[in-house]
Amino acid sequence: MKPWISRLGSLLLIFSSSQIAAEPSLWLATKGHQQLYLFGSIHLGTEDFYPLPAPFTEAYQQSQRLVIETNVSNISSQDQQVLSAASQLPAGKSLSDYISPQYMTLLAKRSQELGLSSHIFDNMQPWYVAVVLSQLQMQTLGYQPELGLDLHFIKQAAHSNTPVYELESFADQIEALSSLSSIQVPLLEQTLDDFDQVPDLFKQLVSHWNNGENNKLLNLLNDDPMFQQGAEQVLEKLLYQRNRNWMKQLTQLENTSFVVVGAMHLYGEQGLLDSLKKLGYAIREVDPLTN
């Protein structure tokens, strides 16, 4: 097994937790009169995620704006065209031109398990097939995009007329995801090979996130070969470059902001928390007992 590939989809969905109490982590970065509440989001969720702990609600209510990656509830026809252009194979090409007959057969089996025809993937880039399969598999486990934490706060903002600040466009996100094309064939092959194992891994990750088991999550990341070798350019596009772009914007926001981004963006030497600290921000984890 290549764990760095099989874990990629799940780790992009969840990588955050708290050491203070058995609930997710909320961070506060302050410098002068500026305050940034930072929350590492899971993009798929269940009803069990809610209600969120009181400090999350209170921090959001105290904020002048909601800051998100991009507003996925407002995808335009132009955005759909961007996705189609990035995710579809060139004219005259089919998925079978990229993966072996053995894996085409396995794709048919996995598709059937999801109640789909594998032919819907015929014209898709291998990296996009892997992403779609992972998303659909999570949904069969009860994790739904509409219950993800970013969408939860987007809906809250619409209800409370809170301004929403987007750190990037939908096209920017698709460009970052398309960096997976450099590893797309082994990524899809491993997604298919490890299909039966991913549900248990994802449940484990969600459990660690929900129970505040930060060290276990950190160990999963530190032990993963993806983050040590072989996929530097993917990480650069998916995480580090985007973090640098976001930092330029976050540091310019006035007063108090509630920031909801994919949790993997917060941590590590090039994560948002460390980058803010290097710029002189005071960083602390919000204690759910004392706030």
Side-chain angles (χ1 to χ4, degrees):
M1 178 192 297
K2 301 181 184 67
W4 67 268
I5 294 177
S6 64
R7 292 175 183 170
L8 176 60
S10 294
L11 286 171
L12 289 175
L13 294 172
I14 170 179
F15 189 72
S16 173
S17 193
S18 167
Q19 300 183 57
I20 292 179
E23 55 189 33
S25 177
L26 177 65
W27 300 88
L28 176 61
T30 59
K31 185 177 182 181
H33 296 294
Q34 186 191 23
Q35 291 187 316
L36 297 170
Y37 285 100
L38 297 111
F39 179 34
S41 172
I42 306 175
H43 299 311
L44 302 176
T46 69
E47 294 284 359
D48 294 338
F49 284 13
Y50 307 99
L52 291 171
F56 290 79
T57 302
E58 293 168 4
Y60 168 76
Q61 292 173 344
Q62 294 169 12
S63 300
Q64 277 72 54
R65 68 188 63 81
L66 171 67
V67 181
I68 56 174
E69 296 181 20
T70 194
N71 192 343
V72 293
S73 69
N74 187 28
I75 304 301
S76 68
S77 58
Q78 184 177 358
D79 291 332
Q80 293 287 358
Q81 292 173 7
V82 169
L83 175 59
S84 179
S87 63
Q88 299 301 301
L89 290 169
K93 291 288 187 179
S94 67
L95 188 62
S96 60
D97 295 324
Y98 293 80
I99 65 174
S100 68
Q102 171 191 349
Y103 279 104
M104 287 299 295
T105 300
L106 188 54
L107 174 62
K109 179 177 183 292
R110 300 310 191 195
S111 299
Q112 186 177 25
E113 292 172 10
L114 293 171
L116 303 170
S117 168
S118 61
H119 293 299
I120 68 171
F121 300 116
D122 285 348
N123 298 318
M124 291 184 186
Q125 294 276 1
W127 70 266
Y128 191 62
V129 177
V131 170
V132 171
L133 283 173
S134 297
Q135 291 273 339
L136 292 174
Q137 189 179 24
M138 294 304 102
Q139 290 181 43
T140 64
L141 299 176
Y143 296 95
Q144 301 297 325
E146 58 268 24
L147 293 174
L149 294 163
D150 39 6
L151 269 178
H152 169 78
F153 283 105
I154 290 171
K155 293 174 183 176
Q156 291 291 312
H159 180 73
S160 60
N161 292 319
T162 301
V164 177
Y165 184 97
E166 298 179 61
L167 291 166
E168 62 189 10
S169 68
F170 181 78
D172 291 332
Q173 286 210 334
I174 297 304
E175 181 183 357
L177 275 174
S178 65
S179 67
L180 294 171
S181 62
S182 65
I183 57 168
Q184 64 177 348
V185 172
L187 174 64
L188 177 54
E189 291 176 350
Q190 203 67 43
T191 299
L192 294 169
D193 283 337
D194 296 342
F195 196 79
D196 293 332
Q197 302 172 40
V198 169
D200 286 340
L201 172 63
F202 190 74
K203 289 177 182 178
Q204 179 185 5
L205 289 169
V206 171
S207 176
H208 291 338
W209 178 86
N210 198 44
N211 292 323
E213 297 169 332
N214 190 46
N215 288 335
K216 292 182 179 180
L217 289 171
L218 286 172
N219 288 337
L220 281 176
L221 180 63
N222 291 332
D223 292 342
D224 199 321
M226 173 185 168
F227 297 91
Q228 300 167 20
Q229 59 185 9
E232 291 86 356
Q233 63 181 352
V234 175
L235 287 174
E236 172 66 22
K237 291 285 288 185
L238 281 175
L239 294 178
Y240 306 145
Q241 185 180 87
R242 296 166 74 198
N243 285 354
R244 291 192 294 271
N245 291 338
W246 296 354
M247 279 293 298
K248 297 173 185 177
Q249 301 171 69
L250 291 174
T251 55
Q252 298 302 311
L253 297 175
E254 297 180 348
N255 302 317
T256 303
S257 303
F258 191 85
V259 182
V260 182
V261 296
M264 280 185 67
H265 290 281
L266 296 186
Y267 300 98
E269 291 184 4
Q270 299 189 58
L272 296 178
L273 293 175
D274 191 64
S275 298
L276 288 166
K277 186 175 181 180
K278 290 176 180 176
L279 291 179
Y281 285 76
I283 310 291
R284 70 175 178 89
E285 190 170 1
V286 177
D287 190 326
L289 301 179
T290 65
N291 213 8

